[in-house]
Amino acid sequence: VQLQASGGGLVQTGGSLRLSCAVSLRSFYMYAVAWYRQTPATERVFVAAISWSGHLTSYADSVRGRFTISRDNAKKMAYLQMHNLGPEDTAVYYCAATSLYSDNVAPPRREREYDYWGQGTQVTVSS
């Protein structure tokens, strides 16, 4: 397994969670990482992405200001800190990685740009 997402769970509205993505890819520091989420009723949608060094990030409008993506290249980890969660955030969250983009461009948002995927972690927000 090259990407392993964890940290999901059940939280009340307004609560917080931090998702983690453990990456076993060689040269992790040369991969952009993204988080996506999917519900039974929707396709997988983009949540956030971060460039190699972490100096460039991108967020979906629905989570900007509430979620923060980060990474620790030394530990080969990526994170998604989520605050002020609502029922609309309930989904399976996936982390993904791609080496197709340099550190000087914004990390991609399109799902097809990512070639490594984790198995997903369930986040459930109760109202």
Side-chain angles (χ1 to χ4, degrees):
V1 176
Q2 294 173 310
L3 281 84
Q4 183 86 24
S6 63
L10 175 64
V11 64
Q12 292 184 334
T13 295
S16 299
L17 278 176
R18 189 177 81 154
L19 305 183
S20 298
C21 179
V23 182
S24 60
L25 296 166
R26 294 180 62 184
S27 303
F28 170 61
Y29 62 92
M30 295 179 69
Y31 285 79
V33 175
W35 288 93
Y36 287 77
R37 64 187 182 187
Q38 184 174 23
T39 71
T42 66
E43 296 181 346
R44 199 152 50 184
V45 297
F46 173 80
V47 175
I50 189 167
S51 61
W52 297 1
S53 64
H55 77 287
L56 292 175
T57 56
S58 180
Y59 294 93
D61 290 343
S62 59
V63 307
R64 186 175 292 112
R66 299 188 298 123
F67 291 11
T68 301
I69 188 170
S70 62
R71 64 191 293 162
D72 185 332
N73 286 344
K75 295 182 179 179
K76 290 192 172 183
M77 296 289 296
Y79 306 97
L80 186 68
Q81 178 67 56
M82 306 184 294
H83 294 297
N84 194 22
L85 286 162
E88 68 277 11
D89 297 312
T90 294
V92 177
Y93 285 71
Y94 298 89
C95 57
T98 179
S99 62
L100 299 178
Y101 291 81
S102 75
D103 198 37
N104 296 320
V105 298
R109 292 175 169 242
R110 292 177 297 187
E111 185 177 343
R112 66 185 183 189
E113 304 293 353
Y114 290 86
D115 40 13
Y116 297 96
W117 290 84
Q119 85 292 355
T121 184
Q122 176 71 47
V123 172
T124 302
V125 185
S126 62
S127 57

